[in-house]
Amino acid sequence: MRNPVGGHVPVAGGLATTGLAYARELAAEAVQVFVANPRGWALPTGSPAEDEKFRAECAAEGMSAWVHAPYLINFGSHTVATVEQSVLSLRHSLRRARQIGARGVVVHTGSATGGRGRDVALAQVREWMLPLLDELTHDDDPFLLLESTAGQGSSLCYLAEDFGPYFAALDAHPMLGVCLDTCHIHAAGHDLAAPDGVARTLDELVATVGDGRLKLIHANDSKDVAGAHKDRHANVGAGTIGERPFAALMAHPATAGVPLIIETPGGKEGHAADVARLKALR
């Protein structure tokens, strides 16, 4: 399928029992989950029975699965404890992803805290994140997908060109990829609503990281205008990006086969409507 469309689903009560039931109600063709509290450092072991059920049912339904790592992770932090916890948390998400058959783990690219420069922070990213990439040696290990931010504060990666230094810091590792969030990249300053905004942005991304690195798209409209540096998601077509750019996104060569995951407001009804809207645009 050119672009499977799905959503981030709640998993309290079980990855398969709750998560996949929700995904089916959205008529989702791909699914994204948390495998730990997104706002904490706990490393839950998961349920082997739920893991196996999740794997088997995703495979039977041809539904790709993706994991979003916790929000607290920041390899650019000036606080040693934060960096050490980030290592443990991301390693946990990568291992759990393999256990449930997920194809990739999305992690936010973080920021240079403590008033330090980007170069210092990226050197730290290299020191602590590259060993985790080197641990991905199994055939069924997930890709590590970098998700840029809307450009708040001292963000390490928000424009398409910023992926260049980040990839360089990690030796353009073969297990490294990109998760492009449409709200983030628009709010960062790439005007997706401009007539050729989507094509220009995707062309620049491919020129920066190379072909085949874009593995996942978070398809979110933006409540704020391009360049606002605010991360506020809107339902597809209800924000400042609008519907047309999502159709252009799915027609671009760089997105062939890349799933779209919505992370939009409105609960189950809003999510189902967004999935249906994206399918119609596809």
Side-chain angles (χ1 to χ4, degrees), residues 80-196:
V80 175
T82 298
V83 179
E84 290 176 344
Q85 291 282 8
S86 295
V87 171
L88 296 175
S89 180
L90 185 53
R91 180 183 282 123
H92 172 264
S93 284
L94 288 164
R95 288 183 175 170
R96 290 287 295 122
R98 182 177 177 231
Q99 288 168 352
I100 67 171
R103 294 187 190 173
V105 172
V106 177
V107 65
H108 290 171
T109 43
S111 55
T113 64
R116 298 173 314 153
R118 189 178 286 197
D119 289 351
V120 175
L122 284 174
Q124 190 168 284
V125 167
R126 176 183 181 83
E127 179 185 354
W128 295 93
M129 195 184 275
L130 193 54
L132 294 179
L133 284 160
D134 285 337
E135 290 173 13
L136 302 174
T137 56
H138 306 92
D139 289 343
D140 57 348
D141 271 326
F143 287 95
L144 179 59
L145 307 182
L146 302 176
E147 180 182 0
S148 57
T149 68
Q152 320 91 304
S154 49
S155 174
L156 287 175
C157 183
Y158 54 99
L159 297 171
E161 66 191 36
D162 297 333
F163 282 104
Y166 216 107
F167 264 66
L170 297 169
D171 293 343
H173 196 284
M175 294 302 289
L176 194 62
V178 170
C179 171
L180 186 72
D181 186 306
T182 51
C183 171
H184 295 182
I185 205 83
H186 180 73
H190 292 274
D191 186 357
L192 299 185
D196 60 344

Side-chain angles (χ1 to χ4, degrees), residues 1 12 21 122 277:
M1 188 180 294
L122 284 174
R277 193 168 291 117

Side-chain angles (χ1 to χ4, degrees), residues 61 71 86 106 116 249 282:
E61 296 174 33
Y71 301 133
S86 295
V106 177
R116 298 173 314 153
L249 184 80
R282 179 178 69 192

Side-chain angles (χ1 to χ4, degrees), residues 150 182-183 186-188 191 221-234 238-241:
T182 51
C183 171
H186 180 73
D191 186 357
D221 212 324
S222 172
K223 288 184 178 176
D224 300 285
V225 296
H229 301 302
K230 290 182 179 175
D231 179 11
R232 298 200 305 156
H233 298 187
T240 63
I241 297 174

